[in-house]
Amino acid sequence: LLQFHHFWTCVTRTSTGTGSADALSFEINDKGVYAVIYQPAALVASVSESSCDFWCMNSQYVYIALAIFGLCGLVGTFILWRVYRYRSKYKVTQLEMVELQQKMEVLEGLETSGMIGESIGDIANGIQYNLNPMFAPQHTEVDPEVVVQLTEKSRLLEQQVTYHEQRSQMLVEENERLRVQLQRMQQE
């Protein structure tokens, strides 16, 4: 109810119930401006438990379970795919290792004829060496006295070379000094 002082006053009235099904009627005691707020009581939905089946009650849980199983399936498929790739690489590497071990066993069984410069790799590759008739053991034996004499001569020659290098350096320096003096004398 709107009063003379221009503020609203709440007046509760109950419906008289006289009127059609689409209209409400109230008993008014005072003159004035009325505003009607229609606020029916909340109707409680009477859904019985028997009308909702398993899917209706547990659909969220079923979706969550399917999502988890799908994610686990993807992860499991990825892991199996990686294991398959590594397994194939492992098998290829194992075959290569067996071949290399067989080659090593063959190379271990090979022996050289004892010639200088001959190696097992040469034999494995099919290279054959022939002995030079001039390269016989009697020609290759070295007398230890000769080795000592040659070592001594080599040492003496190295000393002489060092002496001559130093002497040559001194002569070059002396020559340079004399050349400079000669130029000074010619300028005077």
Side-chain angles (χ1 to χ4, degrees), residues 42-159:
L43 295 175
V44 177
S46 60
V47 176
S48 66
E49 292 292 326
S50 63
S51 68
C52 190
D53 61 351
F54 175 79
W55 181 257
C56 176
M57 291 172 52
N58 301 314
S59 63
Q60 289 179 339
Y61 299 119
V62 170
Y63 288 137
I64 291 171
L66 286 175
I68 290 172
F69 286 134
L71 185 63
C72 289
L74 283 173
V75 169
T77 303
F78 177 74
I79 290 171
L80 288 175
W81 175 65
R82 296 293 289 190
V83 167
Y84 176 75
R85 283 185 52 210
Y86 288 131
R87 184 177 179 270
S88 62
K89 289 179 182 178
Y90 175 74
K91 290 291 184 181
V92 168
T93 306
Q94 263 189 336
L95 291 174
E96 290 174 357
M97 289 292 292
V98 167
E99 289 174 6
L100 289 175
Q101 285 176 348
Q102 289 173 351
K103 285 182 181 179
M104 283 178 51
E105 289 172 2
V106 167
L107 289 177
E108 286 174 357
L110 295 177
E111 292 183 11
T112 62
S113 62
M115 293 175 34
I116 295 175
E118 183 180 24
S119 68
I120 292 179
D122 296 334
I123 295 172
N125 292 330
I127 299 173
Q128 294 181 351
Y129 283 82
N130 293 326
L131 185 59
N132 185 350
M134 293 302 291
F135 192 74
Q138 66 268 18
H139 298 293
T140 59
E141 292 179 9
V142 179
D143 186 17
E145 292 177 11
V146 173
V147 172
V148 170
Q149 289 174 357
L150 290 175
T151 306
E152 185 63 30
K153 284 184 181 180
S154 172
R155 190 178 59 77
L156 288 173
L157 287 174
E158 286 177 3
Q159 287 176 355

Side-chain angles (χ1 to χ4, degrees), residues 159-173:
Q159 287 176 355
Q160 288 177 358
V161 166
T162 305
Y163 170 76
H164 288 298
E165 285 177 352
Q166 290 173 355
R167 178 82 172 133
S168 173
Q169 183 66 30
M170 286 174 33
L171 290 175
V172 167
E173 289 173 1

